[in-house]
Amino acid sequence: MIDFPLSNMVNCGIRTVGLVMPYNYRSLIDHVGSGKDWMLDRKNGGLFVLPGSAFGTSRSGARFLIRDILHNKSFLTRSDAKYVICSASNYVYNIDYSELVAAHEQSGADVTMLTRLCTEDDADTVGVMFDGERVRATKHGVTYGDTAFLDCFIADRELLLRLLDWYEAVDYMDLFEAMEGDFGRVDVRSHIYEGYAAPVFTTEAYFAHNMELLDPKISDQLFDPARSIKTKAHDTPPTKYERGCYVRNSLISAGTRVYGSVADSILGRSIVIESGATVRNSIIMQGCVIESGARVENAIIDRHNVIPAGTEFRGTPEDILIKEKGHA
Amino acid sequence: MSKKECVAMLLAGGQGSRLGALTSSIAKPAVSFGGKFRIIDFALSNCANSGINTVGVLTQYRPYLLHSYIGTGEAWNLDSRDGGVSILPPYATQTGGAWYAGTADAVTQNIGFLEQNDAEYVLILSGDQLYRMDYHKMLENHIRHNADLTIAVMPVPWEEASRFGIITQDEDEKILKFTEKPNKPDSNLASMGIYIFNAKLLIDTLKEDAVDQQSEHDFGNDIIPKLLADQKRLYTFRFEGFWRDVGTISSYHETSMDLLGDKPEFDISSTDFPIMSNPSIRPPHYVGPDGSISDSLVGNGCKVFGTVRHSILSTDAYVGDRAIVEDSVLLPGAVVKEGAHIVRAILGENSIVEEDVVLGSVDMTKDTAVIGNDVVVGKGEE
């Protein structure tokens, strides 16, 4: 998930990124490292690992917990940049942030929220309400046709620092919740992003939006080579298909070996689908082995799991079955 | 390792003219291989896996892609402060400059690099071979024999022996006779073109060779016979395993096909001596609703809507609806459009085979079809 906002930032020329760490940061640090794969191993600027306030970032409700930013105020005071773009990593989309910067400059707003017009009901997304051009209020949960917050905004750096001073006493709040009473004196507007954007707050959404990638029209937009989504480089060889395997309508990553049958699925790196195994309408993450004759359907198999020979792991399209991370 | 126990010199400047269209715009070591690799990955990975962290890469012919691909060497863990990869193209001095005029001449012109690194031993490699070798074992062998020069060798089929430098040795691996490409070979023990020299002897010999008007400045033709005639201690290091020179279209195609199958002789996926590369970061490949793949290698970013059998699809290759690809190698970004049918063909990087074109032949007596990089093959042009 982090690859998307990080790549978006880098692709529009940003080379100084502070990454506020979640409570359990081991796998995130392992993934981003020095930021090299995002060209963020710079002599000046580059990737800054910023301590989160631990409880804040693990709470899914708050996007921009004031405390998380306040704790890292010096990162902002030491900078001489005019603008700051803040993003959570709840959404999958590929945007050229220049359009957000341009909209922000053109309107002269203090803060510009990146939004989209909602096409589906979503209880986890923040909705935005307007008074003319200006944001009047935010609310939890959106329905069709609402303007939905993409959990990303741009602000003048000086102004953001001023806001942090204002709200220091309520640092347990989300920045936009805290601003609720101040929309009169802070000019907050929105810029509507018209491309593909997928909210990923729940496993159902995770599954559904992954499956959308099987539509080349969507994956081409998301993985546009002109603004490529960067990720940690691995030395995995190409995918190896053996004689007699079957594969249809699937996305398959490098290092995987397919002897069996795969349809309507997404396979991560270095997976083995043994002969006679079948995988249907599922997401299999890296390092799993689906042994001979096993059947996986309507399921998410997290990393490093083995589905033993001859067994079944099947959900239904309405009720996706999930197997938690294995220990191999 | 001592201060600089062993420095590798990787000869990557040759044109590779026998690879035809594949090397018209890029150097042979930069040619894509095995779906995501480039040929030079094998030698660089061997260096990294053998603990050799100082590598000079001698380049000359069409070097841009090769240079940018190697970069700082970080993809092979070779970006270290006390060594790393140095790209060594021909250069000028106060008295002028010259192109590399032979394998030995290329190293001669970079004696300064060897002196700068104060190396005790020098490993000479070519950038166009596929194998996994622990050079450190070869170095141990060299030191054990107290040798002046050690040549890696392997037995080859007798009928092919005349293509190689052929060696006769005694029971202690000491070289008695060396003949470059003999008409009537009296041994089938072939030099793999991988040498370890004592640095001082190498430098002295190269300096002498440089002023020898008769010399072609080639390791096989000149340097090795000279050392043998001078009664130096030449030993072999016997290599067991998969080794291929991918210098011709047919060997390139055949070696590519050797990577396929359930238990290939050369497993590029093996992780205990990993082949590293500097890949483009691309999303997983997509197989469409009517796509079909069997017995093949497929790289990231590919899209397969047609049928692929016993083939290699490199990064970002595209196989359109109703298209068929068999016994072929698609290099990065190659496109086989809707309804086209290619058999026993190699498609260069970003080449395009247009709709309904039929290319190549199952007839093994015919040559493998080769389309150069960026070439478009339209209907009627095949």
Side-chain angles (χ1 to χ4, degrees):
Chain A
M1 291 295 297
I2 187 74
D3 291 342
F4 292 92
L6 217 45
S7 300
N8 285 337
M9 288 176 175
V10 168
N11 286 343
C12 80
I14 295 173
R15 290 292 181 273
T16 303
V17 176
L19 191 58
V20 180
M21 286 289 133
Y23 181 63
N24 187 350
Y25 55 81
R26 184 183 53 79
S27 62
L28 187 56
I29 288 275
D30 179 42
H31 186 74
V32 297
S34 64
K36 192 183 76 179
D37 290 318
W38 294 266
M39 301 180 287
L40 288 173
D41 53 338
R42 301 293 92 197
K43 287 211 167 184
N44 298 307
L47 184 72
F48 289 81
V49 171
L50 304 178
S53 61
F55 300 105
T57 32
S58 66
R59 206 189 103 202
S60 61
R63 272 65 174 171
F64 302 103
L65 192 76
I66 293 166
R67 190 187 282 165
D68 277 342
I69 310 172
L70 204 54
H71 276 194
N72 298 292
K73 201 172 151 187
S74 58
F75 175 70
L76 294 173
T77 52
R78 277 180 205 151
S79 164
D80 57 3
K82 187 158 171 31
Y83 303 117
V84 182
I85 293 180
C86 292
S87 175
S89 47
N90 301 326
Y91 273 85
V92 168
Y93 58 101
N94 185 340
I95 188 183
D96 182 352
Y97 278 137
S98 311
E99 69 173 71
L100 178 63
V101 178
H104 183 69
E105 284 184 332
Q106 204 187 356
S107 73
D110 295 324
V111 176
T112 304
M113 301 168 83
L114 188 65
T115 56
R116 66 166 185 152
L117 294 177
C118 230
T119 51
E120 59 202 300
D121 298 356
D122 189 338
D124 298 295
T125 291
V126 169
V128 184
M129 285 157 296
F130 298 91
D131 194 356
E133 297 276 294
R134 288 180 62 162
V135 172
R136 164 171 65 81
T138 59
K139 60 167 182 180
H140 271 279
V142 289
T143 52
Y144 180 87
D146 280 356
T147 304
F149 187 24
L150 283 174
D151 293 355
C152 171
F153 69 91
I154 183 169
D156 294 44
R157 184 177 56 88
E158 304 270 351
L159 177 99
L160 183 61
L161 283 167
R162 229 177 312 140
L163 292 179
L164 291 177
D165 287 341
W166 290 2
Y167 302 129
E168 203 169 343
V170 288
D171 67 354
Y172 52 86
M173 286 180 83
D174 177 88
L175 180 63
F176 287 90
E177 285 167 10
M179 276 162 61
E180 198 75 51
D182 288 320
F183 284 133
R185 55 175 176 160
V186 185
D187 183 356
V188 181
R189 303 190 187 204
S190 110
H191 171 69
I192 292 177
Y193 171 65
E194 292 180 347
Y196 173 82
V200 181
F201 290 99
T202 60
T203 45
E204 289 79 15
Y206 177 84
F207 186 85
H209 293 305
N210 258 290
M211 287 304 167
E212 282 175 2
L213 297 181
L214 293 177
D215 177 353
K217 280 199 282 296
I218 288 177
S219 51
D220 283 353
Q221 199 187 124
L222 200 54
F223 299 112
D224 180 357
R227 288 198 311 269
S228 68
I229 299 300
K230 292 148 186 72
T231 188
K232 185 182 176 182
H234 292 276
D235 271 306
T236 35
T239 306
K240 198 152 186 299
Y241 291 94
E242 304 299 343
R243 217 164 269 149
C245 71
Y246 175 94
V247 55
R248 290 286 186 283
N249 191 41
S250 294
L251 272 171
I252 300 183
S253 307
T256 285
R257 278 183 99 136
V258 184
Y259 295 84
S261 160
V262 178
D264 309 317
S265 294
I266 295 175
L267 267 55
R269 279 183 294 116
S270 305
I271 291 167
V272 182
I273 310 294
E274 293 187 355
S275 63
T278 58
V279 175
R280 294 274 177 286
N281 196 43
S282 294
I283 298 170
I284 317 251
M285 298 193 209
Q286 68 184 69
C288 290
V289 179
I290 313 300
E291 291 187 344
S292 178
R295 288 185 67 161
V296 176
E297 266 176 49
N298 306 309
I300 300 175
I301 313 281
D302 207 340
R303 293 183 278 177
H304 303 298
N305 271 300
V306 175
I307 305 297
T311 62
E312 292 192 346
F313 195 85
R314 298 166 70 183
T316 63
E318 292 74 34
D319 189 13
I320 299 299
L321 207 54
I322 297 164
K323 191 161 176 68
E324 309 258 324
K325 206 180 285 185
H327 298 288
Chain B
M1 300 277 279
S2 65
K3 197 169 76 180
K4 280 292 158 58
E5 188 180 27
C6 187
V7 165
M9 296 294 264
L10 178 51
L11 304 171
Q15 180 182 350
S17 53
R18 290 174 302 154
L19 277 181
L22 297 182
T23 50
S24 61
S25 57
I26 59 176
K28 178 158 70 165
V31 171
S32 167
F33 185 86
K36 77 171 274 195
F37 305 97
R38 295 192 185 273
I39 295 172
I40 199 169
D41 285 335
F42 297 86
L44 288 176
S45 299
N46 284 341
C47 285
N49 290 327
S50 305
I52 291 173
N53 77 346
T54 309
V55 183
V57 183
L58 293 87
T59 64
Q60 173 160 284
Y61 175 80
R62 297 227 181 242
Y64 301 139
L65 179 61
L66 191 54
H67 287 182
S68 65
Y69 184 71
I70 295 169
T72 61
E74 67 170 54
W76 304 270
N77 275 331
L78 289 170
D79 56 335
S80 65
R81 284 193 177 236
D82 60 346
V85 172
S86 295
I87 290 173
L88 305 172
Y91 60 92
T93 65
Q94 284 175 324
T95 54
W99 296 112
Y100 295 151
T103 52
D105 181 57
V107 180
T108 304
Q109 291 201 39
N110 289 288
I111 284 175
F113 177 76
L114 300 177
E115 289 171 343
Q116 178 192 306
N117 281 292
D118 199 10
E120 199 173 346
Y121 303 104
V122 180
L123 169 68
I124 310 278
L125 303 169
S126 15
D128 59 359
Q129 301 175 345
L130 243 82
Y131 62 109
R132 281 193 177 91
M133 186 194 281
D134 187 344
Y135 301 135
H136 199 75
K137 285 194 177 139
M138 181 172 170
L139 182 60
E140 281 170 358
N141 208 60
H142 180 81
I143 293 169
R144 184 167 58 82
H145 283 306
N146 194 23
D148 292 312
L149 162 62
T150 298
I151 302 177
V153 295
M154 66 181 298
V156 295
W158 278 95
E159 62 273 19
E160 287 179 27
S162 57
R163 286 176 43 216
F164 295 92
I166 291 298
I167 285 167
T168 311
Q169 64 178 15
D170 69 11
E171 64 278 10
D172 190 35
E173 300 180 329
K174 188 165 198 249
I175 298 175
L176 304 173
K177 188 175 164 196
F178 178 93
T179 325
E180 183 71 10
K181 302 193 175 82
N183 288 327
K184 289 196 179 122
D186 49 10
S187 154
N188 69 336
L189 203 57
S191 162
M192 300 162 69
I194 299 164
Y195 315 117
I196 290 179
F197 284 92
N198 287 354
K200 187 174 179 319
L201 175 78
L202 174 67
I203 291 170
D204 292 345
T205 312
L206 289 175
K207 283 179 177 167
E208 281 173 36
D209 178 74
V211 293
D212 182 349
Q213 300 289 330
Q214 306 299 316
S215 174
E216 292 169 27
H217 312 301
D218 183 83
F219 280 105
N221 282 326
D222 308 289
I223 304 296
I224 297 169
K226 181 175 185 329
L227 291 175
L228 204 55
D230 290 352
Q231 309 272 309
K232 297 294 178 192
R233 296 174 61 82
L234 273 59
Y235 282 83
T236 63
F237 172 70
R238 193 181 173 102
F239 176 72
E240 313 275 349
F242 185 94
W243 175 82
R244 292 284 189 283
D245 169 344
V246 285
T248 65
I249 290 293
S250 63
S251 70
Y252 179 92
H253 186 254
E254 200 178 302
T255 308
S256 296
M257 295 296 110
D258 282 347
L259 302 177
L260 303 174
D262 186 16
K263 289 195 171 57
E265 207 187 328
F266 188 77
D267 183 4
I268 50 167
S269 321
S270 165
T271 50
D272 58 347
F273 207 82
I275 307 301
M276 293 168 263
S277 67
N278 182 9
S280 1
I281 301 298
R282 300 290 298 130
H285 68 265
Y286 176 67
V287 184
D290 299 314
S292 155
I293 305 177
S294 111
D295 199 11
S296 297
L297 278 167
V298 180
N300 279 341
C302 288
K303 290 205 176 76
V304 179
F305 296 97
T307 300
V308 176
R309 281 191 289 264
H310 198 255
S311 293
I312 295 177
L313 270 51
S314 310
T315 311
D316 287 334
Y318 176 93
V319 178
D321 212 16
R322 295 177 291 105
I324 301 174
V325 173
E326 294 172 291
D327 301 316
S328 295
V329 182
L330 272 55
L331 298 192
V335 172
V336 177
K337 287 203 177 164
E338 288 63 25
H341 187 167
I342 70 160
V343 186
R344 277 184 72 236
I346 301 171
L347 305 188
E349 298 193 25
N350 303 311
S351 63
I352 297 172
V353 175
E354 295 281 12
E355 279 99 355
D356 302 316
V357 168
V358 179
L359 190 75
S361 161
V362 286
D363 182 354
M364 296 297 279
T365 61
K366 296 226 170 91
D367 286 343
T368 309
V370 182
I371 305 300
N373 295 347
D374 306 306
V375 171
V376 179
V377 183
K379 190 79 185 146
E381 299 170 12
E382 55 268 43

